[in-house]
């Protein structure tokens, strides 16, 4: 019989990986909670129309990457490829504009894009998504960027780089796109076929190209950053001042193109040199018009999403090293009661404790303790012994209290 495997571009999360993910979830809750962001969830699927209108008809996501299906009543539904459009829908649906602004939310969960799978690119992946709706203050932009930097640092992503730009208003952008298109047409022969094919629909995508000829042409292309309105330029300057003040380094990069259509003004992306082609750990920006486009009141807003699998790829494997693990070994037949009592006390103190439950010999139990990476083994027999699994040293404790004290002291 042919065995069934997980679908292409998906993966199972086995316990060790699951623990690393939970750790990031806890860090997210802590970092974002301290800044006043509240947890929030939306459905895994939505009306297809939401993403078509929200993310944009001309984007790769909507044109090629959506998992779309019909329900039994013939409605077109889509597995969510991102969170922002759905959060805006919910903001409108629940009248959140009546709450004190900005409304600050975060969510974590699976997202779906039908892309060609490769390292760091999956068809089902996990995002931490953060949104602040209802303020156009530059301090919101700066704070969001700093929160993503803090999250990445705490997650152990290591060295990161930040690219920052502003896309201005749709009017500025459409004038600029016209200017860029005219410029690219003048150099059409030097461009890649792919870029030429997209010249009409989206010349901005030329900035994504790896093609040497295209890159050379783009070096002298007009820059959107030089075409911003005075208000938008001032907004960006204020965001930059706040980032400079916080000591966060970034590169101002007019070629930063995001794969979603809703952005206005600030856009940013964090990358890791530890990853290959899929190096974006997270990114986002302002979307001051999206809530209105989805039927709500004018609501300036801003947010980002980070790819959890990519962060875990970038994070050093040793970040999850558990050095406070204890194994409780049972060296006589009726030791389980004492063993469980010790295990529960140590767990209450924050140790990660497992007790023998498979009837192994003492040698087998010590081997098992090694296997789970225990730092200490507490051996309950005629007395209680505490074994340091690194050095192999073993000490007899006078009683349970002393055994606990020995583990605690070694753990300190
Ligand atoms: P995005 O740049 O499309 O933005 O995705 C954010 C992050 O999700 C990426 O930087 C990457 O780490 C991860 N990611 C995206 N696609 C995949 C994939 N196929 N496999 C693995 N990881 C992936 C957004 O989704 C916007 N909604 C962000 C935002 C929030 N903008 C404003 N608010």
């Amino acid at each position: 019989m042919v065995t069934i495997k997980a679908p292409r571009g998906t993966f199972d999360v086995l316990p060790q990986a699951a623990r690393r993910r939970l750790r990031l979830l806890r860090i997210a809750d802590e970092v974002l909670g301290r800044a006043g962001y509240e947890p929030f969830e939306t459905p895994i699927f939505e009306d297809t129309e939401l993403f078509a209108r929200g993310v944009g008809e001309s984007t790769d996501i909507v044109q090629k990457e959506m998992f779309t299906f019909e329900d039994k009543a013939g409605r077109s539904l889509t597995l969510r490829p991102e969170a922002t459009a759905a959060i805006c829908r919910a903001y409108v649906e629940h009248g959140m504009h009546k709450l004190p602004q900005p409304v600050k939310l975060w969510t974590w969960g699976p997202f779906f894009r039908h892309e060609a799978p490769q390292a760091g690119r999956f068809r089902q992946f996990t995002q931490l998504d953060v949104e602040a709706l209802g303020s156009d203050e530059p301090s919101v932009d700066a704070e969001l960027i700093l929160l993503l930097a803090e999250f990445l640092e705490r997650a152990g992503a290591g060295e990161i780089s930040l690219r920052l730009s502003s896309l201005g208003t749709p009017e500025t952008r459409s004038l600029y796109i016209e200017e860029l298109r005219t410029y690219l047409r003048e150099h059409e022969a030097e461009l890649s076929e792919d870029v030429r094919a997209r010249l009409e629909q989206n010349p901005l995508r030329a900035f994504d190209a790896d093609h040497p000829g295209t890159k050379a042409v783009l070096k002298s292309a007009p820059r959107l950053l030089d075409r911003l309105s005075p208000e938008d330029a001032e907004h960006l300057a204020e965001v930059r001042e706040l980032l400079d003040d916080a000591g966060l380094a970034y590169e101002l990069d007019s070629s930063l193109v995001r794969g979603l259509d809703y952005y206005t003004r600030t856009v940013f992306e964090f990358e890791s040199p530890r990853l290959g082609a899929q190096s974006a750990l997270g990114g986002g920006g302002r979307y001051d018009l999206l809530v209105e486009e989805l039927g709500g009141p004018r609501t300036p807003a801003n947010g980002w999403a980070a790819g959890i699998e990519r962060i875990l790829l970038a994070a050093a494997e040793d970040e999850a090293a558990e050095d406070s693990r204890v194994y409780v070994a049972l060296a006589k037949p009726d030791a389980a009661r004492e063993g469980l009592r010790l295990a529960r006390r140590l767990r209450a103190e924050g140790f990660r404790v497992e007790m023998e439950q498979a009837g192994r010999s003492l040698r087998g139990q010590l081997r098992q303790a090694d296997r789970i990476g225990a730092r200490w083994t507490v051996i309950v027999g005629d007395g209680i012994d505490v074994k340091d699994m690194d050095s192999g040293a073993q000490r007899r404790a006078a009683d349970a209290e002393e055994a606990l004290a020995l583990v605690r002291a070694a753990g300190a």
Side-chain angles (χ1 to χ4, degrees), residues 210-233:
D210 267 335
H211 179 252
T214 307
K215 280 176 136 171
V217 170
L218 284 172
K219 273 217 175 99
S220 337
R223 293 181 352 136
L224 177 54
L225 275 175
D226 301 326
R227 301 289 182 271
L228 296 180
S229 71
E231 301 79 50
D232 291 344

Side-chain angles (χ1 to χ4, degrees), residues 55 61 65 81-85 111-116 118 120-132 258-260 262-263 268-270 278-287 301-311:
V55 175
I61 293 181
E65 297 171 3
E82 63 104 47
T84 312
F111 292 84
F112 306 85
R113 295 183 192 175
H114 199 285
E115 299 191 80
Q118 64 177 84
R121 190 159 77 188
F122 308 97
R123 290 185 174 170
Q124 176 177 335
F125 56 98
T126 312
Q127 275 187 355
L128 167 63
D129 182 276
V130 182
E131 313 285 352
R258 305 263 311 130
L260 307 101
Y262 47 61
Y263 291 111
F268 55 92
E269 209 159 82
F270 281 88
Q278 304 303 317
S279 60
L281 295 174
R286 276 204 166 271
Y287 49 95
N302 195 344
W304 50 257
I308 297 305
E309 288 78 16
R310 289 190 194 170
I311 294 172

Side-chain angles (χ1 to χ4, degrees), residues 37 130-135 137-138 140-142 144-145 235 263 266 268 284-288 299-304:
Y37 284 76
V130 182
E131 313 285 352
L133 300 104
S135 168
E137 290 291 325
V140 176
D141 307 46
L144 277 165
I145 293 170
H235 193 273
Y263 291 111
T266 312
F268 55 92
R286 276 204 166 271
Y287 49 95
D288 289 344
T299 308
N302 195 344
W304 50 257

